[in-house]
Amino acid sequence: MEDLKMTEEIALRLLCQDIKDKKDFLKPENKWILHSIYVGIAAKRISEHLGIDSEYATSLGYIHDIGRRINHNNHPIEGYKYLKDLGYKKEAKICLTHSFIENDINITAGGGPKDPISYNYIYTFLRSTFSDIYDNIIQLCDLFCLETGFTTIEKRLLDISNRKGIYDNSYNHFQETLKLKKKIENLMNSSLYELFPEIKKEDLDLEEENAKILTHILKK
């Protein structure tokens, strides 16, 4: 099958294909859809600031979690296969890379893949590809976008820790996330949060305190 080129419109249509009216967005099982919309919006702003392909970045943000429609727990692999089968081989990559900072299977939230077959599948894929700027943008956006909007990385990671638990790699993941944020900020020559005035002042005011809390609970 010939590789197809995805647009923002196509990506948004794929993401929202099961949404019939606005009330569907509020269903608990659809929180990931709202989260993905915010990731797409965030990716657009960052990529525009960097002067790179913003439509491509936005599309990746919309579809990075698309596999959750098929299998929530195994969404990276299911999303990759789903998009690849549709003909979007290039874009399908983001389903496998978005959860793993710099495409390192050990730098992820929630302890990483539990099933050996899934672990080996993802590990092999990540070792066969490099982490480009679009991977980095989605990896970062995934970690400050909630289903309710934008927040700080520290608040988002506290939320993830509360939901998914704390693992041996959790502290390292936090530190590598901050390094990724700094990497993107250096490329933009500006603070990440300057692009997102919607972030609540209280979240920004608690950034340092939440960082201390995270460090304390993750290093136990």
Side-chain angles (χ1 to χ4, degrees):
M1 179 184 293
E2 181 182 355
D3 285 352
L4 301 176
K5 180 177 175 55
M6 185 175 289
T7 64
E8 288 182 39
E9 182 181 355
I10 292 171
L12 193 58
R13 186 167 67 246
L14 288 172
L15 175 64
C16 299
Q17 61 186 280
D18 294 331
I19 300 296
K20 305 305 179 185
D21 57 50
K22 291 182 179 181
K23 292 181 180 179
D24 287 341
F25 282 114
L26 303 178
K27 294 178 179 178
E29 63 268 26
N30 289 333
K31 285 183 178 181
W32 68 273
I33 296 177
L34 289 173
H35 159 73
S36 298
I37 289 174
Y38 282 112
V39 170
I41 294 170
K44 185 181 187 71
R45 291 188 193 177
I46 293 172
S47 57
E48 286 180 339
H49 197 81
L50 290 172
I52 60 177
D53 190 341
S54 62
E55 177 156 12
Y56 180 60
T58 307
S59 299
L60 296 182
Y62 286 156
I63 52 88
H64 77 281
D65 265 349
I66 197 73
R68 293 190 185 278
R69 173 172 287 109
I70 303 165
N71 185 308
H72 198 79
N73 291 328
N74 199 33
H75 72 279
I77 294 175
E78 294 298 340
Y80 173 73
K81 291 179 177 178
Y82 171 69
L83 290 178
K84 190 177 177 183
D85 287 345
L86 288 179
Y88 300 107
K89 183 177 180 180
K90 182 181 178 182
E91 291 81 1
K93 172 189 173 188
I94 201 62
C95 295
L96 287 171
T97 62
H98 75 271
S99 293
F100 307 97
I101 294 177
E102 298 292 4
N103 291 13
D104 186 332
I105 198 168
N106 296 309
I107 308 176
T108 186
K114 308 298 188 295
D115 174 63
I117 295 176
S118 297
Y119 182 95
N120 290 333
Y121 187 102
I122 296 172
Y123 177 80
T124 301
F125 181 89
L126 294 177
R127 287 292 298 270
S128 70
T129 187
F130 68 95
S131 181
D132 62 26
I133 184 60
Y134 298 100
D135 290 317
N136 284 166
I137 289 173
I138 304 305
Q139 288 160 1
L140 184 63
C141 292
D142 194 30
L143 293 172
F144 71 88
C145 293
L146 300 167
E147 73 274 8
T148 53
F150 312 118
T151 187
T152 63
I153 285 169
E154 289 76 11
K155 182 174 179 178
R156 169 77 164 143
L157 288 181
L158 276 173
D159 172 66
I160 290 174
S161 297
N162 289 331
R163 289 186 294 106
K164 296 187 176 183
I166 296 171
Y167 299 83
D168 290 341
N169 69 331
S170 295
Y171 178 70
N172 188 41
H173 175 253
F174 173 40
Q175 295 303 304
E176 293 300 320
T177 300
L178 295 181
K179 288 182 184 179
L180 179 59
K181 175 176 176 283
K182 190 65 177 177
K183 175 182 178 178
I184 297 296
E185 287 179 328
N186 287 339
L187 290 173
M188 294 194 304
N189 197 29
S190 69
S191 166
L192 174 70
Y193 298 144
E194 288 179 7
L195 295 184
F196 301 94
E198 300 93 336
I199 297 177
K200 295 178 181 178
K201 183 179 182 300
E202 61 200 73
D203 292 351
L204 293 171
D205 290 343
L206 288 172
E207 183 181 3
E208 185 175 339
E209 179 64 24
N210 284 337
K212 290 179 180 177
I213 294 172
L214 269 172
T215 299
H216 175 70
I217 65 174
L218 298 183
K219 289 188 74 174
K220 280 187 176 180

